[in-house]
Amino acid sequence: MTFTCQRVNGHLHTKETKTTCPPFNPLDCRPGSETTDVNGCCRRCELRNVCQVRTRATVLEVNGCRSAGPVNVTSCAGQCESSSTYYAAADAMTRRCQCCRESATSRRPVELTCPDGSRLRHSAIVVEACRCGAAACLEELPGP
């Protein structure tokens, strides 16, 4: 909260300004990178690689056949380090790109019911673990 004085029609008034900080979790930070904003109010840091398994419940559908109810589906999500650095000897930029991807999977049978009442046995992929892995860096798109 900051307070300033303002003159309005010859009278002084106190103006109150509330700053809302973005969410901050020190566990997501690279060690030693924590700082505050220019006002010394909000904490921020360089994010470390946080790549993990996420689970959400959804109804599976394959060729019109659906699971009887929601099924836990796993995926990988998070942040991985990427960079683009000037390399003087080659007079070019060197790029290093990583993405959050599966490192271990398994299969789980799921029974689906089709519109005609028949049943289909589907083998769904389950993500067991995730990691940051090398990825192709896309070239910059041409400007307008």
Side-chain angles (χ1 to χ4, degrees), residues 16 18-19 38 42-43 47 80 83 87-88 91 93 95 99 104 107-108 116 127 139 141:
E16 188 178 290
K18 182 179 179 181
T19 301
V38 290
C42 297
R43 294 168 60 191
L47 294 175
C80 297
S83 64
Y87 181 51
D91 191 30
M93 301 299 290
R95 295 177 185 91
C99 67
R107 292 235 174 224
R108 179 179 67 215
D116 66 2
V127 175
E139 291 299 318
L141 297 174

Side-chain angles (χ1 to χ4, degrees), residues 30-143:
R30 287 183 187 271
S33 71
E34 290 184 42
T35 59
T36 58
D37 63 8
V38 290
N39 297 323
C41 183
C42 297
R43 294 168 60 191
R44 56 186 182 192
C45 67
E46 290 179 34
L47 294 175
R48 68 170 152 181
N49 293 349
V50 179
C51 173
Q52 58 194 9
V53 177
R54 302 267 169 87
T55 304
R56 68 179 171 85
T58 188
V59 173
L60 293 184
E61 184 172 345
V62 177
N63 296 329
C65 305
R66 299 169 55 102
S67 58
V71 174
N72 284 336
V73 174
T74 53
S75 61
C76 293
Q79 298 204 346
C80 297
E81 190 172 334
S82 294
S83 64
S84 184
T85 308
Y86 177 63
Y87 181 51
D91 191 30
M93 301 299 290
T94 57
R95 295 177 185 91
R96 182 175 151 230
C97 299
Q98 293 188 7
C99 67
C100 183
R101 58 188 297 168
E102 72 282 357
S103 59
T105 60
S106 63
R107 292 235 174 224
R108 179 179 67 215
V110 178
E111 186 173 78
L112 307 177
T113 304
C114 301
D116 66 2
S118 64
R119 299 200 184 277
L120 173 68
R121 194 167 168 88
H122 177 70
S123 180
I125 297 173
V126 177
V127 175
E128 303 289 346
C130 301
R131 69 173 176 79
C132 290
C137 293
L138 298 177
E139 291 299 318
E140 186 176 315
L141 297 174

